[in-house]
């Protein structure tokens, strides 16, 4: 076979294989995060994640991008949501839940939409729907919480199920909510500029667990932030919180204590849903091991600016 022929036949084979592996994912708009890189530190999404099976979503609502999520099609949950923190200027909105048309059909509208009733079968197949969470004993846990978003529109945009994972109430309204408040306080007190946050769910190690046999339940929640420019005279007590900080929270009170130990003295309603604060590097190690991918969340570990000469 001549070289030319070989090339032709191998590219022919490629063309045949592509649709099988890529399915309907090969859209133009949704192929990457190019429309919403501003939500990532140095405009650089986390590195090391094998793209197969994941769908980047630039979360668009009312003609504006609000944050970014990496959606795991098989698990019907986001692996993470990435956003720039800005304290809410009002209350948690009463917003209707939305879905992502791009997951149904790659050339569909790039704006999130309120669920129709009844929900279209193609929507049900492509993503989580409200029915999955009903009677599941799990709450709808925001990765990007509405109270970390400034305007009412920003906050409403967090009410898309592509920003949601099944989270135990004991975690969602307990220690995990404390962590979200703590991050907000650190931002207000010491962050002088942007704070980039990435929050996600960590699947079970061996066998995934599901609600409604469709939506995967994370064993742990995780979060990390990067605030490259911060108050130069940090008190000793918060030194280790800048420029980066991370945490892992239990979402299953029966998990073993290797990653996050349990405080048996905490009150019964939240016992077993502890959150362990840690360095960015410690979180990346845990994530890399659990997902079997060498994950780096922030470009250059977010050490470019003040962090360097402070150490
Ligand atoms: C939810 O919890 C209740 C009470 O523990 C239990 O009876 C029920 O089977 C659970 N539902 C699901 C879907 O696991
Ligand atoms: C915050 O940033 C501004 C502008 O870059 C700078 O002038 C100021 O000194 C900084 N403040 C602190 C506390 O680092
Ligand atoms: C920086 O932090 C110190 C210590 O908490 C505080 O006294 C000071 O006002 C802060 N500076 C600015 C500009 O926020």
């Amino acid at each position: 076979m001549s070289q030319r022929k070989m090339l032709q036949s191998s590219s022919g084979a490629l063309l045949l294989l592509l649709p099988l592996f890529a399915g309907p994912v090969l859209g133009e708009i949704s192929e990457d995060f190019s429309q919403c890189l501003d939500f990532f530190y140095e405009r650089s999404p986390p590195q090391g994640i094998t793209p197969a099976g994941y769908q980047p979503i630039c979360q668009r609502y009312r003609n504006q991008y609000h944050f970014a999520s990496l959606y795991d099609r098989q698990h019907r949950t986001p692996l993470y949501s990435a956003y720039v923190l800005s304290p809410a200027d009002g209350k948690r909105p009463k917003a209707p839940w939305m879905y992502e048309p791009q997951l149904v059909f790659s050339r569909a509208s790039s704006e999130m939409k309120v669920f129709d009733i009844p929900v279209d079968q193609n929507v049900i197949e492509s993503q989580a729907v409200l029915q999955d969470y009903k009677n599941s004993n799990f709450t709808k846990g925001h990765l990007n919480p509405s109270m970390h978003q400034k305007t009412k529109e920003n906050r409403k945009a967090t009410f898309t199920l592509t920003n949601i994972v099944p989270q135990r109430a004991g975690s969602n309204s307990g220690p995990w909510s404390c962590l979200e408040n703590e991050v907000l306080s650190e931002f207000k007190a010491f962050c002088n500029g942007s704070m980039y946050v990435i929050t996600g769910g960590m699947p079970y190690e061996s066998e995934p667990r599901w609600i409604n046999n469709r939506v995967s339940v994370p064993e742990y929640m995780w979060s990390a932030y990067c605030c490259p420019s911060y108050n130069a005279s940090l008190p000793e007590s918060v030194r280790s919180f800048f420029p980066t900080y991370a945490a892992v929270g239990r979402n299953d009170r029966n998990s073993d204590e290797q990653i996050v130990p349990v405080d048996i003295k905490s009150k019964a309603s939240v016992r077993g849903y502890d959150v362990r604060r840690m360095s960015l590097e410690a979180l990346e190690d845990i994530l890399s091991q659990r997902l079997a991918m060498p994950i780096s969340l922030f470009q250059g570990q977010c050490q470019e600016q003040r962090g360097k000469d402070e150490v």
Side-chain angles (χ1 to χ4, degrees):
M1 210 191 281
S2 76
Q3 207 170 11
R4 175 120 178 257
K5 255 208 169 133
M6 263 177 74
L7 265 173
Q8 274 174 349
S9 70
S10 62
S11 64
L14 246 181
L15 280 177
L16 279 173
L17 286 172
L18 263 176
L20 273 179
F21 289 120
V25 189
L26 276 173
E28 301 146 31
I29 321 152
S30 44
E31 218 168 57
D32 56 34
F33 285 127
S34 61
Q35 301 299 311
C36 52
L37 289 174
D38 288 344
F39 299 111
F40 298 97
Y41 173 62
E42 299 272 288
R43 298 174 56 80
S44 176
Q47 300 295 300
I49 297 169
T50 321
Y54 293 111
Q55 172 77 46
I57 298 175
C58 287
Q59 298 282 11
R60 192 174 165 90
Y61 175 65
R62 300 228 169 139
N63 237 7
Q64 203 192 322
Y65 292 110
H66 297 268
F67 61 103
S69 300
L70 187 64
Y71 199 71
D72 182 335
R73 285 182 170 270
Q74 200 199 345
H75 287 193
R76 293 194 181 89
T77 49
L79 177 64
Y80 65 73
S81 285
Y83 60 97
V84 177
L85 190 149
S86 181
D89 63 10
K91 290 187 302 193
R92 175 187 167 109
K94 276 210 183 79
W97 286 100
M98 293 178 277
Y99 73 98
E100 184 60 45
Q102 289 176 86
L103 289 171
V104 187
F105 173 56
S106 62
R107 270 175 283 268
S109 159
S110 57
E111 284 226 359
M112 57 183 82
K113 269 178 108 170
V114 175
F115 281 106
D116 295 313
I117 301 170
V119 184
D120 185 272
Q121 194 57 37
N122 295 312
V123 173
I124 296 175
E125 269 157 34
S126 62
Q127 57 202 289
V129 297
L130 291 170
Q131 189 64 34
D132 292 318
Y133 284 86
K134 217 172 198 174
N135 306 318
S136 70
N137 292 339
F138 284 87
T139 63
K140 295 187 274 299
H142 280 75
L143 295 184
N144 174 6
S146 68
M147 296 311 281
H148 283 189
Q149 295 291 302
K150 187 172 172 58
T151 68
K152 194 169 186 182
E153 302 269 283
N154 295 157
R155 275 173 276 141
K156 282 183 164 180
T158 66
F159 286 78
T160 167
L161 287 191
T162 57
N163 179 42
I164 297 295
V165 297
Q167 188 178 10
R168 289 291 189 193
S171 161
N172 199 356
S173 53
W176 194 253
S177 143
C178 294
L179 175 80
E180 289 172 346
N181 290 333
E182 190 184 309
V183 167
L184 201 55
S185 308
E186 301 307 337
F187 171 79
K188 288 181 186 161
F190 305 110
C191 190
N192 189 19
S194 298
M195 180 181 270
Y196 300 87
V197 187
I198 303 179
T199 299
M202 212 186 296
Y204 282 84
E205 185 136 48
S206 39
E207 277 173 48
R209 310 216 182 156
W210 309 88
I211 54 172
N212 205 17
N213 289 319
R214 284 173 31 89
V215 178
S216 140
V217 174
E219 184 176 11
Y220 296 96
M221 309 288 292
W222 57 268
S223 183
Y225 71 65
C226 149
C227 162
S229 164
Y230 50 92
N231 184 332
S233 43
L234 279 182
E236 201 52 47
S237 60
V238 296
R239 263 296 158 88
S240 61
F241 294 25
F242 290 90
T244 59
Y245 190 51
V248 174
R250 300 169 64 93
N251 192 37
D252 182 344
R253 46 172 39 146
N254 297 317
S255 295
D256 66 39
E257 299 190 49
Q258 268 181 359
I259 298 180
V260 185
V262 171
D263 177 4
I264 52 164
K265 290 195 292 268
S266 50
K267 65 176 191 209
S269 61
V270 299
R271 195 177 304 142
Y273 296 113
D274 305 65
V275 171
R276 180 182 141 209
R277 276 80 173 157
M278 60 183 72
S279 67
L280 173 65
E281 290 71 22
L283 170 64
E284 286 177 339
D285 282 349
I286 293 169
L287 278 178
S288 299
Q289 205 164 25
R290 181 58 65 105
L291 299 171
M293 303 184 240
I295 290 173
S296 161
L297 292 173
F298 301 113
Q299 176 76 37
Q301 300 298 93
C302 182
Q303 297 289 329
E304 257 90 297
Q305 304 191 17
R306 185 162 292 130
K308 227 176 218 163
D309 36 68
E310 286 283 313
V311 184

